[in-house]
Amino acid sequence: MRLSRYFLPVLKETPAEAQIVSHRYMLRAGMIKQASAGIYSWLPLGFKVLRKIEDIIHEEQARAGHIPIQMPTIQSADLWRESGRYDAYGQEMLRITDRHDRDMLFTPTAEELVTDIFRSYVRSYKDLPLTLYQIQWKFRDEIRPRFGVMRGREFYMKDGYNFDLTKEDALHAYNRHLVSYLRTYERMGLQAIPMRADGGPIGGDYTHEFLVLADTGESEVFYDSEITDLKFGEREIDFDNVDQCQAVLEEFTSRYARTDETHDEAVWADVPADRQRTARGIEVGQIFYFGTKYSEALNAVVQDQTGAQVPVHMGSHGIGVSRLLGAIIEASHDDKGIIWPEGVTPFHCGIVNLKQGDDEADAACEALYASLTALGLEPLYDDRNERAGGKFATMDLIGLPWRITVGPRGLKNGVVELTSRRTGESEELPPEQAVARIAKIYGVAQAQG
């Protein structure tokens, strides 16, 4: 993409309503625009990152054997009355009435809807296990929406639902989701710590929240410092292997890590004092096992091996897709702007032309742009007729992890400048070596000439 043809409405001043870093930078970098309280339009740069995050989630869900569907944003209130949650959910639910005076609601979550799908088609244990998921817009009418996409009313969310014959099978699904979430967050450059949490309106005895440590987090968290040394890394897991998934759960949840809602001073006292940590955390996902709570209420039963009709065991598993943008920025920024991890960056690198209109500089930038594009990479070429300082400020603000700077002085020596946004370190390289370096960073193979 050429910046002269892109829609990137960058703001020089910080909007008064932005209280935290991610909200400030998302507004200033032209990623979002508020439509009303807690509701945002997603502009091209923000929408591009949203799609990158969504793609990673889809890939990891497929790896775990989960099947994507798409459910509507508007549901009938009848299903929620059937489950008993319609009146219990509270004022966060946006209740509406259609022209025929039928009670409807804007989806805050979809346990009832997906259970209705399941009970309509699945009759036998032979069709289990089954996990269905979607990535869809949700609405919760927060009494005080704030912090931009971190606590909005409309939000984009991955919600998955497992259906299993027994509790043991459903707990394996729980573990499978924990493993897939660890992989998902690490691919986004995040360390999301699974912490014992409260079931809230979803319910269930087994639940973990995934929290990213950040000073602006809404939750107070208590954890054993050893947990921050854990990395999932590149290990290969067989998601059908009960023991392997259970081992990962034990590895990542055996040390103390809890939100303030479930904090237990007696258990906390057993953690060595030099490893006790308190901090703030941003919730970016949660997994639940709630057994037969919904299947019994909605009569979602299957025939088991003996011919008996039994309610299925269920769980639900969410990732806050739009909230993740804010969390990533809160965890990865400096005083100049965003620093995107390579896994979710909207563009793989920026190209800055220091002297637009100079034949040699223009030609070198075009060649770099063509070479990177031919490798399947997406560069953002700042071809505007602007001052160099303004171009650098824009690149720093929008946070692309790598920048190639091209100017007449360097070209006289046959080099361009490759700069890391994270470290600020620069290196002079011939243009073809700069392209090779970017390709290697992103794991792209180059054709041998």
Side-chain angles (χ1 to χ4, degrees):
M1 178 59 64
R2 299 168 192 274
L3 198 46
S4 62
R5 300 179 188 174
Y6 199 50
F7 181 57
L8 187 69
V10 168
L11 304 177
K12 291 185 179 179
E13 302 298 324
T14 299
E17 73 271 21
Q19 298 174 295
I20 62 172
V21 168
S22 58
H23 195 194
R24 289 200 298 269
Y25 283 156
M26 289 184 78
L27 289 171
R28 284 196 53 214
M31 298 179 71
I32 55 173
K33 182 184 185 302
Q34 181 170 302
S36 60
I39 301 174
Y40 293 88
S41 296
W42 289 79
L43 307 183
L45 194 73
F47 185 62
K48 200 166 175 54
V49 180
L50 198 67
R51 284 285 175 258
K52 290 287 184 79
I53 290 172
E54 187 178 357
D55 288 346
I56 290 173
I57 293 170
H58 278 305
E59 288 167 10
E60 292 303 326
Q61 288 298 295
R63 189 192 301 269
H66 306 157
I67 303 168
I69 61 173
Q70 190 81 94
M71 292 181 279
T73 58
I74 304 296
Q75 298 186 34
S76 167
D78 292 343
L79 276 174
W80 286 67
R81 290 193 176 103
E82 197 177 341
S83 73
R85 278 209 301 175
Y86 185 67
D87 294 320
Y89 200 88
Q91 290 185 307
E92 286 80 20
M93 182 188 288
L94 182 63
R95 295 166 168 85
I96 53 183
T97 305
D98 70 9
R99 66 169 66 194
H100 301 293
D101 289 327
R102 289 178 295 225
D103 290 329
M104 312 290 284
L105 57 99
F106 196 119
T107 299
T109 182
E111 282 81 7
E112 285 82 358
L113 196 59
V114 76
T115 304
D116 181 54
I117 292 170
F118 177 88
R119 71 181 178 181
S120 298
Y121 301 108
V122 181
R123 299 283 182 267
S124 170
Y125 75 94
K126 295 177 182 178
D127 296 320
L128 303 179
L130 177 65
T131 295
L132 303 174
Y133 80 94
Q134 65 170 350
I135 300 178
Q136 177 63 291
W137 291 100
K138 308 288 191 302
F139 192 93
R140 293 178 190 165
D141 199 5
E142 293 278 355
I143 189 170
R144 189 164 158 245
R146 56 202 172 112
F147 303 153
V149 301
M150 299 291 287
R151 190 163 184 172
R153 293 194 295 163
E154 185 183 58
F155 54 96
Y156 203 43
M157 180 178 169
K158 174 264 168 183
D159 49 317
Y161 307 90
N162 67 281
F163 302 88
D164 290 277
L165 184 62
T166 66
K167 178 178 180 179
E168 291 72 27
D169 293 341
L171 289 178
H172 172 56
Y174 185 95
N175 297 351
R176 193 172 64 239
H177 278 84
L178 182 134
V179 174
S180 71
Y181 279 22
L182 290 171
R183 286 187 56 93
T184 298
Y185 295 125
E186 283 194 13
R187 285 187 60 188
M188 296 175 190
L190 289 173
Q191 182 175 45
I193 301 171
M195 298 194 179
R196 183 169 304 186
D198 181 66
I202 305 294
D205 298 327
Y206 294 78
T207 179
H208 282 85
E209 286 180 347
F210 291 79
L211 288 105
V212 174
L213 301 180
D215 292 339
T216 50
E218 291 182 286
S219 302
E220 185 178 15
V221 298
F222 302 79
Y223 64 96
D224 182 334
S225 63
E226 281 192 347
I227 204 165
T228 56
D229 296 328
L230 299 177
K231 298 287 186 292
F232 189 85
E234 296 300 317
R235 70 180 88 174
E236 288 296 327
I237 294 290
D238 178 356
F239 283 95
D240 292 327
N241 188 307
V242 172
D243 292 338
Q244 283 189 24
C245 292
Q246 177 67 25
V248 174
L249 174 97
E250 291 173 359
E251 179 185 352
F252 281 83
T253 64
S254 59
R255 295 164 183 83
Y256 193 96
R258 299 193 183 195
T259 62
D260 50 0
E261 294 173 321
T262 58
H263 180 54
D264 186 324
E265 284 289 347
V267 182
W268 178 238
D270 293 334
V271 178
D274 63 330
R275 300 199 328 239
Q276 291 182 353
R277 300 287 186 274
T278 59
R280 309 296 297 180
I282 300 168
E283 183 204 340
V284 292
Q286 190 163 2
I287 56 176
F288 301 85
Y289 161 72
F290 41 68
T292 58
K293 174 181 177 178
Y294 296 96
S295 55
E296 287 183 349
L298 296 167
N299 196 35
V301 298
V302 296
Q303 187 178 65
D304 68 10
Q305 298 94 325
T306 70
Q309 296 290 314
V310 296
V312 292
H313 287 254
M314 293 176 57
S316 67
H317 316 276
I319 292 178
V321 182
S322 50
R323 171 180 271 243
L324 269 167
L325 274 85
I328 291 168
I329 294 169
E330 292 294 332
S332 186
H333 68 271
D334 61 17
D335 59 359
K336 296 178 182 178
I338 302 163
I339 306 173
W340 291 116
E342 278 85 353
V344 296
T345 180
F347 296 94
H348 295 104
C349 74
I351 301 171
V352 171
N353 189 340
L354 293 180
K355 194 169 183 181
Q356 202 70 39
D358 177 87
D359 290 345
E360 191 176 3
D362 289 355
C365 288
E366 292 290 347
L368 284 166
Y369 184 83
S371 296
L372 291 164
T373 303
L375 291 171
L377 296 169
E378 293 182 282
L380 179 64
Y381 173 22
D382 191 344
D383 59 342
R384 300 172 300 161
N385 191 20
E386 298 278 347
R387 291 173 50 251
K391 292 187 175 187
F392 289 144
T394 296
M395 285 293 174
D396 285 341
L397 175 62
I398 66 175
L400 306 186
W402 298 92
R403 184 186 76 227
I404 300 175
T405 304
V406 180
R409 185 179 302 172
L411 290 174
K412 282 186 172 61
N413 298 319
V415 296
V416 295
E417 187 179 67
L418 179 64
T419 303
S420 164
R421 174 70 180 86
R422 186 168 299 280
T423 67
E425 295 176 357
S426 295
E427 183 179 0
E428 290 189 336
L429 297 166
E432 61 275 10
Q433 288 187 25
V435 170
R437 184 72 61 82
I438 295 293
K440 184 177 180 181
I441 288 166
Y442 290 101
V444 175
Q446 289 185 276
Q448 298 297 312

